[in-house]
Amino acid sequence: MTHFDHEEEFHSRDRKQFRKERKLAQNTDRSKFKKTDLENKIIETAHHLRRGRVVAISGEGAFIDFDGESVLCSLKGLMKKETAQVKNIIAVGDWVRCSDQGAIEQVEERTSTLARTDISGRKEQLIAVNVDQVLITASVVSPPLKPALVDRYLIAAEKGNIHPIIVINKIDLLNAASDEEQERYRNFLAAYIPLGLPILSLSSETKIGLEALRSLLQNKTSVFSGQSGVGKSSLLNACFGFELRTGELATKTSKGSHTTTTASLIRLPGGGYCVDTPGIRSFGVWDLTKTDVINHFTDFIPFAKECKYPDCIHINEPECAVMQALEAGTIAALRYESYVNLLEEIASGSQSKTWS
Ligand code: GDP
Ligand code: ZN
């Protein structure tokens, strides 16, 4: 062994010792803060990955918002990983981490999801994720109120851990509406207000109720859902001065485009985000079960306890206390119709193309 070798060995041992000590110090440091493996991973990667939020998804990738700057990033990195097997690798509202080359490398765990059954009826499609509230938007007269559709969204919100708010638009049309239409609106309120859900009646046309809507949206992530034509885009335009496309024409155009989903996340002036979903023309709750439906109709529960059969589903069983309450007017006809409609949907297995 030459002198040189000795010196090399000495230094190498020195380095080893140094590394050992550094590792030890790091370990004590880690245990001191009790960081989880996930947290450590995030800290390790944070310096070379940028955190952003998925604002829209297209055939080429996803548009990610980095502090107000929108960049088209690729899904290639994610595809390579085993997560590629999982449907809905990313969805509008996801928080992701991207490399400098514009590849999405990580997707953060979701806190909530709004899902529906896709067009084939066999797959789950995520409309938006990490949202605080869903604005279940309906309208009076044109299109008319559809309680069963409202209940579908309510169930989807319950399943996805999202706070629901019912928004009834176009109340300006009530003045000139038929008695039947006016009664439908009154019956809807009478049936749904007792459920304790927030309900807003408004009009994007006359701007009634828009101030209340604006304040509900502030600093939250909200998704506007509901049948096409109820005025979701018009409401956003009226509240924030946006210029989102409205009316039938917009829906037709988006159908012909190459985007796989037309949902997009919009930053709101004054704080918060909002998801506009112009391309969603039908809505079926993903993986809807009889139990979901029964649990959702909490207003039936006190009566259901009195039914002759403990497994009564209140359709045609004898001595059914729910049906008796319906006849007595204690349970609203609108609620019962909606309940039957949902059970029929499960029975027929057609959980998607019910609404357009
Ligand atoms: P979306 O498909 O839910 O986004 O609905 P749009 O915003 O495209 O609106 C559909 C149609 O309803 C458009 O022709 C709007 O002008 C009309 N509309 C929207 N809000 C109101 C309203 O408050 N009153 C009336 N009378 N019409 C409205
Ligand atoms: Zn019963």
Side-chain angles (χ1 to χ4, degrees), residues 41 49-50 52-54 56-57 60-64 73-92 94-99 102-110:
K41 207 162 174 190
L49 293 180
R50 286 170 88 194
R53 198 165 192 196
V54 177
I57 298 170
E60 297 87 57
F63 288 93
I64 312 295
C73 293
S74 96
L75 301 177
K76 273 185 210 137
L78 289 178
M79 297 292 205
K80 277 189 230 132
K81 298 184 182 135
E82 54 196 295
T83 42
Q85 306 306 320
V86 184
K87 296 175 304 253
N88 298 300
I89 303 175
I90 54 160
V92 170
D94 262 328
W95 287 101
V96 296
R97 282 164 199 274
C98 302
S99 70
I104 303 169
E105 299 289 349
Q106 297 170 1
V107 183
E108 289 180 20
E109 204 176 316
R110 294 164 182 156

Side-chain angles (χ1 to χ4, degrees), residues 16-32:
K16 264 186 209 151
Q17 182 63 25
F18 173 71
R19 273 194 221 117
K20 214 165 140 189
E21 275 167 13
R22 189 176 57 182
K23 201 159 176 221
L24 239 142
Q26 278 173 347
N27 281 345
T28 30
D29 197 37
R30 268 184 200 145
S31 60
K32 194 168 77 189

Side-chain angles (χ1 to χ4, degrees), residues 25-67:
Q26 278 173 347
N27 281 345
T28 30
D29 197 37
R30 268 184 200 145
S31 60
K32 194 168 77 189
F33 293 103
K34 288 201 169 42
K35 286 194 185 91
T36 64
D37 282 351
L38 179 72
E39 278 173 317
N40 281 321
K41 207 162 174 190
I42 289 171
I43 292 164
E44 273 168 30
T45 52
H47 65 282
H48 68 93
L49 293 180
R50 286 170 88 194
R51 186 174 188 259
R53 198 165 192 196
V54 177
V55 293
I57 298 170
S58 80
E60 297 87 57
F63 288 93
I64 312 295
D65 176 88
F66 299 103
D67 291 324

Side-chain angles (χ1 to χ4, degrees), residues 240-255:
F240 299 105
F242 294 149
E243 289 176 357
L244 303 170
R245 291 176 301 177
T246 60
E248 256 321 284
L249 203 71
T251 329
K252 273 189 195 132
T253 321
S254 65
K255 226 177 134 188

Side-chain angles (χ1 to χ4, degrees), residues 76-148:
K76 273 185 210 137
L78 289 178
M79 297 292 205
K80 277 189 230 132
K81 298 184 182 135
E82 54 196 295
T83 42
Q85 306 306 320
V86 184
K87 296 175 304 253
N88 298 300
I89 303 175
I90 54 160
V92 170
D94 262 328
W95 287 101
V96 296
R97 282 164 199 274
C98 302
S99 70
D100 292 342
Q101 288 73 39
I104 303 169
E105 299 289 349
Q106 297 170 1
V107 183
E108 289 180 20
E109 204 176 316
R110 294 164 182 156
T111 56
S112 66
T113 55
L114 180 65
R116 68 162 185 156
T117 306
D118 85 337
I119 225 89
S120 74
R122 289 190 297 272
K123 278 194 222 140
E124 178 185 32
Q125 186 193 354
L126 294 180
I127 297 173
V129 301
N130 300 326
V131 289
D132 303 308
Q133 51 193 19
V134 54
L135 294 137
I136 303 171
T137 317
S139 64
V140 291
V141 186
S142 161
L145 272 173
K146 295 188 178 119

Side-chain angles (χ1 to χ4, degrees), residues 9 58 64 67 88 94 103 118 181 214-215 222-223 257 298 312 319 322 345 347 355:
E9 199 197 34
S58 80
I64 312 295
D67 291 324
N88 298 300
D94 262 328
D118 85 337
E181 276 295 342
R214 247 195 308 265
S215 66
S222 315
V223 53
S257 78
T298 47
C312 183
E319 294 175 53
V322 169
E345 190 179 282
W355 303 94

